[in-house]
Amino acid sequence: MGVAWWVWFLVAFVALAAGALFLMRDRARLTSRNRERRRWASLRGWQFAETDHVLPGQWSGGAIAYYGDGVARDVVAGSTFTADGRRKVYVFDLEAGGRVNTVISAVQCKRAHPVVVELWVPSTPFQREHMPELLGPVGQRYAFVSDIAAARTLITPDLVDATEDLGQDVAVAWIEDGWVLAASAPNSSPSRLERLLRSLGEIADVVDPFDAEVEQPGEIEASRGNGGDE
């Protein structure tokens, strides 16, 4: 005997209702996160944008390589002070494949480094098709680098100490071009992201100290003649 038509109707209705509930729950969660991120940016005097399709494409290592560059959602842009001075920062949700996989925090350096250094926690399934070379343990993390010789000069005891404050909820932190970046959990709160930005600022100060380039006397005089710093 076949199944009555109303049974199939009931099954379809239940499935539709369950899907709608999941969609409403996800939408409420995303809206809440949007409001929270927007409020945080306002309190800090930073800029906020709901979507940026270009920003993730600035980088190709770390979590960007693992998940794909995707789309930046709930983007916060501003600057913060570190021990060496003010640095530009970004925070955004990385959406790839239709879902938010991680939160990216980035702190800018003054100069670009010729090597990409990825620092992964051992518990993360970080393998991907084209992994950089394994350098070895760096503190509690494993370093994968684009150039082993160049990376050895960058990885110092001070850098190791600075990475210890990142936290195990940060799957990967990496140095790429003129930035220090990290990937944290999708539900990371503004207070957690504030702490993470401070840790990234400490790493930036180690690999990119502002006093590394000392002006020569002639350069100082030329600067004064041009009115100095703006």
Side-chain angles (χ1 to χ4, degrees), residues 193-212:
L193 295 172
E194 289 270 8
R195 296 195 305 273
L196 181 54
L197 287 174
R198 285 196 293 271
S199 297
L200 294 179
E202 292 176 5
I203 295 174
D205 286 345
V206 170
V207 301
D208 177 52
F210 279 17
D211 60 358

Side-chain angles (χ1 to χ4, degrees), residues 223 226-230:
S223 176
N226 291 329
D229 294 336
E230 295 181 354

Side-chain angles (χ1 to χ4, degrees), residues 44-179:
R44 291 299 305 265
W46 290 347
Q47 296 178 328
F48 175 86
E50 291 191 351
T51 304
D52 190 321
H53 292 269
V54 177
L55 181 61
Q58 290 191 32
W59 305 286
S60 59
I64 304 293
Y66 186 80
Y67 292 111
D69 55 16
V71 178
R73 304 288 189 191
D74 295 336
V75 183
V76 173
S79 63
T80 190
F81 279 106
T82 70
D84 263 3
R86 184 177 287 275
R87 296 182 185 275
K88 186 175 182 178
V89 302
Y90 282 114
V91 175
F92 60 92
D93 293 344
L94 179 63
E95 181 183 286
R99 60 176 294 181
V100 173
N101 297 290
T102 187
V103 181
I104 303 294
S105 302
V107 175
Q108 191 176 37
C109 299
K110 279 181 60 180
R111 61 187 63 80
H113 295 282
V115 59
V116 176
V117 177
E118 300 182 7
L119 302 172
W120 291 86
V121 292
S123 58
T124 303
F126 46 74
Q127 290 292 337
R128 58 183 189 266
E129 184 177 357
H130 301 291
M131 283 292 293
E133 294 185 82
L134 173 63
L135 178 62
V138 173
Q140 300 179 35
R141 297 171 178 268
Y142 281 98
F144 293 82
V145 302
S146 61
D147 185 312
I148 289 181
R152 290 189 188 280
T153 64
L154 198 62
I155 299 176
T156 63
D158 287 341
L159 178 63
V160 175
D161 290 342
T163 63
E164 295 300 288
D165 293 332
L166 288 171
Q168 292 298 300
D169 60 319
V170 175
V172 59
W174 76 101
I175 301 166
E176 181 179 352
D177 200 10
W179 295 83

Side-chain angles (χ1 to χ4, degrees), residues 15-37:
L16 182 63
L21 286 174
F22 280 119
L23 183 62
M24 291 173 60
R25 185 195 63 182
D26 289 345
R27 179 60 183 170
R29 178 176 53 83
L30 290 172
T31 302
S32 174
R33 182 165 55 203
N34 177 284
R35 289 197 301 266
E36 184 180 56
R37 192 74 57 79

